[in-house]
Amino acid sequence: KGFFPGTSTTLSQAGSNLKNLLLTNKGERVGHPTFGADLLLVLFEPMSENLLDRVKESINEAIAEWLPYISINKLEIEPDESEINQLNINIEFYLTMNPDMFETITLSFATEQT
């Protein structure tokens, strides 16, 4: 037992690593100025197709650089149907060493209204 919940499998640990990467802004982590995906910056961006493309690109670049052992099976980035200022990100991923087992994480970010 500790402050942070433990993980019991490599896949669930990879999910924790992925969340940590995506919820960190570049420059936030000491000694690793490029670690992160800058997704928290979407909080101040108006919702648009360009924003959705930028978020997808940022996710793919961050994973390629920092978590090369994770492969994305499905990446969905879409506005929330009931909350117009919310962006939902669903990522189905697997470990490159075990492509038969998947895990999904979901992140939600509030954005400014256009």
Side-chain angles (χ1 to χ4, degrees):
K1 299 244 179 208
F3 185 73
F4 297 102
T7 56
S8 58
T9 66
T10 304
L11 187 60
S12 63
Q13 181 59 52
S16 292
N17 294 347
L18 182 56
K19 283 182 197 175
N20 183 36
L21 175 68
L22 298 181
L23 294 175
T24 302
N25 285 324
K26 291 180 181 180
E28 229 179 318
R29 187 156 178 198
V30 176
H32 296 286
T34 62
F35 182 85
D38 285 338
L39 295 185
L40 297 177
L41 299 178
V42 304
L43 295 173
F44 305 104
E45 295 288 329
M47 188 68 73
S48 68
E49 275 300 316
N50 184 37
L51 176 67
L52 301 179
D53 291 339
R54 284 186 12 231
V55 168
K56 185 178 280 193
E57 183 179 325
S58 181
I59 290 171
N60 286 324
E61 286 175 1
I63 291 171
E65 180 177 355
W66 290 100
L67 304 175
Y69 56 90
I70 290 179
S71 294
I72 301 296
N73 187 48
K74 189 186 315 180
L75 175 57
E76 297 172 333
I77 303 168
E78 53 195 22
D80 191 272
E81 292 179 13
S82 60
E83 184 61 48
I84 62 169
N85 295 329
Q86 183 167 309
L87 183 66
N88 296 322
I89 301 171
N90 295 307
I91 304 173
E92 183 179 89
F93 67 94
Y94 60 92
L95 300 176
T96 54
M97 65 184 200
N98 189 0
D100 297 327
M101 295 184 68
F102 296 92
E103 181 147 328
T104 302
I105 63 168
T106 301
L107 302 171
S108 296
F109 298 91
T111 64
E112 286 191 355
Q113 190 171 7
T114 57

